[in-house]
Amino acid sequence: MKYVSTRGGDSPKSFTAILLEGLAQDGGLFLPERYPHVFIPELKAMREMSYAQLAFAILSRFMSDIPPADLRAMIERTYTKEIFGSDDITPLKTLEPGLHILGLSNGPTLAFKDLAMQLLGNLFEYVLARQERELNILGATSGDTGSAAEYAMRGKQGIRVFMLSPHGRMSPFQTAQMFSLQDPNIFNLAVKGVFDDCQDIVKAVSNDAAFKAKHRIGTVNSINWARVAAQVVYYFKGYFAATGSNDEVVSFSVPSGNFGNIYAGHIARSMGLPIKRLILATNENNVLDEFMRSGVYRVRKSAEVQATSSPSMDISKASNFERYVADLLRRDPARLNELWKQLDAKGSFDLSGEKFRDMIAATGFSSGSSTHADRISTIRGIHEDYGVIVDTHTADGIKVGQQYREPGVPMICLETAQPAKFAETIQEALGREPARPAGYENIEALPQRFEVIDADAEQVKAFIAART
Ligand SMILES: *Cc1c(COP(=O)(O)O)cnc(C)c1O
């Protein structure tokens, strides 16, 4: 399998050649030349597989330049009961016939990003060792992504993580999760500033090409292809768990921000998995819902982004969206370049027109959005009706998913985080805090390891230079 740029300006590359890269050279995102197809007899065999076997069956098609035995070993080390809490890895909970929750948040940081990030840690270590290279990961986080990256990279050979977070602005739980890591290759930098300051520092350091090359600086953001590919697996797993035969179709509802999770669903559907609808749920920051309804993609300015009670979906633009648009345009790089030029120039593009609805329908997408009041009433309703507590992001997905239920089509709502991470809103909805999963009860009392630093790129550079 070879990978090409959405914008058509880079030569086809192998999986291991793009694994450690961010954008393609022409500024586009990498995509497989075509999605592999899964035929009916293969689906039949997959239905019987364990999570790790299924992951190998799917990922070996995307990661074809890694020797199969090596890939299998990495996958088997990643998807274990020890790391994800059960043999199912992503257990399906049935609320009532035809309505399910797929549990994606049982990894070490209690959010779905662990499912991809844990594999990424093993892939990075493997490829770096073979290329005799080292990597210094620099990132900015307001919570979820940073901790998932740190838990994936801790103790890995050839990798260091420098993670910037706004000093004193993360929840005590999130702070404790990250700062309690004692691994010598993990560096938590608490920046005297807000999240945007952290992001600006990452940009400033990355724009210093000489520093970046000398200190082998890289990132682990959501456009990383391996992260997207790893997420395809649980759509298959969820489908098999919710159906009795491969003649059935299902729909998935997906709480969405940067479009990574639902794009993986689009790949699964493109591979032939019988998915009827992919339901994209946003919160008040409804850039993507607006596009699905109107054909207009209008990115928001930072000041327009609302801070909501499902904060991991508070986005101004969706970093993986370009890949989906490439497919909508049937891989026409010239048109895609034109659209992104418009986006850079005026902050929006418009695909509306008579073919727009058909184009979206052909990909199975539907959408909707949710508000704080919707989240509260959904969390309450699900608790009253089924005795289950869901987190705020999952609630957004369930709220929108409910609107698209139809007879004979199981609805699978993706659970993207544990309620314990968003205790304040659960308290508001239910009048009490959710129980913490075993092992997390006293996490705030653990010793913490971090450095406070000014919001100054030069100081961050000096910190990194002294340790690499
Ligand atoms: C990252 C995240 C999302 C959004 O996923 P995308 O892949 O960015 O669309 C939703 N919920 C939670 C809890 C997350 O951490």
Side-chain angles (χ1 to χ4, degrees):
M1 163 108 36
K2 291 285 188 196
Y3 291 87
V4 293
S5 167
T6 47
R7 301 194 194 175
D10 213 334
S11 56
K13 294 194 158 56
S14 69
F15 171 74
T16 56
I18 65 160
L19 174 65
L20 301 170
E21 302 303 319
L23 298 174
Q25 257 165 24
D26 59 4
L29 304 186
F30 289 109
L31 275 174
E33 279 180 317
R34 65 190 68 80
Y35 301 121
H37 197 80
V38 173
F39 295 94
I40 298 289
E42 292 171 300
L43 270 184
K44 220 171 146 185
M46 285 177 170
R47 183 173 280 280
E48 310 305 323
M49 291 180 182
S50 70
Y51 194 95
Q53 289 168 334
L54 185 60
F56 178 76
I58 292 165
L59 296 178
S60 56
R61 297 166 205 231
F62 290 102
M63 306 176 179
S64 55
D65 64 328
I66 295 182
D70 293 354
L71 182 61
R72 192 187 290 276
M74 277 187 275
I75 287 173
E76 283 174 357
R77 255 190 299 140
T78 304
Y79 298 110
T80 64
K81 181 175 176 177
E82 201 183 20
I83 298 175
F84 289 99
S86 71
D87 287 324
D88 282 344
I89 307 297
T90 58
L92 188 85
K93 194 179 285 167
T94 298
L95 298 180
E96 64 178 46
L99 183 63
H100 312 273
I101 292 181
L102 187 64
L104 305 182
S105 60
N106 301 307
T109 73
L110 309 180
F112 87 97
K113 292 187 175 70
D114 288 328
L115 280 162
M117 208 74 93
Q118 286 289 319
L119 181 64
L120 198 67
N122 287 326
L123 286 167
F124 273 21
E125 185 177 52
Y126 173 84
V127 169
L128 287 166
R130 292 222 307 187
Q131 298 177 354
E132 295 181 18
R133 283 169 67 190
E134 288 191 354
L135 182 69
N136 293 302
I137 294 168
L138 175 64
T141 189
S142 53
D144 278 353
T145 313
S147 58
E150 290 189 352
Y151 279 78
M153 304 299 166
R154 62 190 295 198
K156 294 279 185 280
Q157 292 295 316
I159 302 175
R160 294 181 198 85
V161 178
F162 297 89
M163 192 58 68
L164 312 183
S165 59
H167 184 39
R169 286 174 193 266
M170 292 190 296
S171 73
F173 183 86
Q174 282 178 323
T175 308
Q177 253 190 332
M178 287 179 50
F179 293 5
S180 64
L181 288 178
Q182 301 296 331
D183 307 73
N185 71 327
I186 304 292
F187 300 95
N188 284 302
L189 296 175
V191 174
K192 291 183 200 158
V194 296
F195 174 64
D196 280 339
D197 297 320
C198 300
Q199 248 182 340
D200 289 346
I201 293 172
V202 172
K203 267 185 218 152
V205 175
S206 300
N207 286 339
D208 181 342
F211 183 87
K212 195 177 168 200
K214 175 155 186 240
H215 296 284
R216 299 168 304 271
I217 303 292
T219 55
V220 284
N221 47 29
S222 69
I223 59 165
N224 182 282
W225 177 259
R227 283 183 62 183
V228 171
Q231 291 170 177
V232 174
V233 178
Y234 53 71
Y235 284 88
F236 280 79
K237 192 73 189 160
Y239 171 78
F240 295 131
T243 59
S245 88
N246 300 328
D247 303 328
E248 294 177 54
V249 292
V250 303
S251 291
F252 285 95
S253 105
V254 188
S256 293
N258 274 316
F259 206 82
N261 199 353
I262 199 162
Y263 172 62
H266 166 69
I267 297 171
R269 191 173 182 276
S270 303
M271 290 172 74
L273 189 69
I275 298 175
K276 180 155 188 205
R277 289 178 195 273
L278 288 164
I279 296 148
L280 182 150
T282 69
N283 62 20
E284 290 88 338
N285 298 295
N286 63 348
V287 191
L288 291 169
D289 179 36
E290 186 176 89
F291 170 78
M292 292 295 163
R293 289 174 185 282
S294 69
V296 176
Y297 182 58
R298 183 179 68 83
V299 302
R300 312 296 200 245
K301 300 193 178 68
S302 303
E304 282 179 276
V305 178
Q306 290 185 47
T308 74
S309 47
S310 45
S312 300
M313 292 155 63
D314 293 349
I315 52 136
S316 57
K317 58 183 190 312
S319 48
N320 275 292
F321 186 57
E322 182 172 335
R323 289 181 163 128
Y324 172 70
V325 175
D327 285 347
L328 281 183
L329 301 177
R330 296 173 183 273
R331 305 284 181 102
D332 178 348
R335 264 202 86 198
L336 192 116
N337 271 300
E338 223 172 83
L339 292 180
W340 255 260
K341 228 175 261 162
Q342 279 176 37
L343 197 60
D344 288 340
K346 53 176 204 150
S348 68
F349 63 70
D350 184 353
L351 282 182
S352 68
E354 53 184 295
K355 295 238 172 65
F356 178 71
R357 290 254 58 89
D358 294 345
M359 221 159 68
I360 297 294
T363 63
F365 272 68
S366 304
S367 74
S369 65
S370 169
T371 63
H372 180 74
D374 292 326
R375 280 189 278 290
I376 296 292
S377 72
T378 303
I379 291 167
R380 251 182 223 150
I382 295 293
H383 184 246
E384 268 164 31
D385 295 347
Y386 310 109
V388 170
I389 303 182
V390 295
D391 97 288
T392 51
H393 306 77
T394 307
D396 288 332
I398 294 175
K399 186 259 170 180
V400 176
Q402 296 269 30
Q403 297 166 0
Y404 289 98
R405 279 185 78 184
E406 50 201 315
V409 184
M411 175 67 66
I412 304 174
C413 301
L414 300 190
E415 181 218 50
T416 56
Q418 293 276 330
K421 292 191 92 169
F422 303 94
E424 210 176 291
T425 311
I426 305 299
Q427 170 79 41
E428 184 184 340
L430 303 179
R432 65 177 169 91
E433 293 210 345
R436 286 207 181 161
Y440 294 82
E441 296 88 348
N442 294 312
I443 184 171
E444 289 95 333
L446 296 172
Q448 300 194 349
R449 182 171 163 268
F450 63 100
E451 307 268 343
V452 179
I453 196 163
D454 288 333
D456 173 7
E458 292 309 317
Q459 286 191 31
V460 171
K461 281 190 209 171
F463 186 94
I464 295 171
R467 285 161 186 84
T468 59

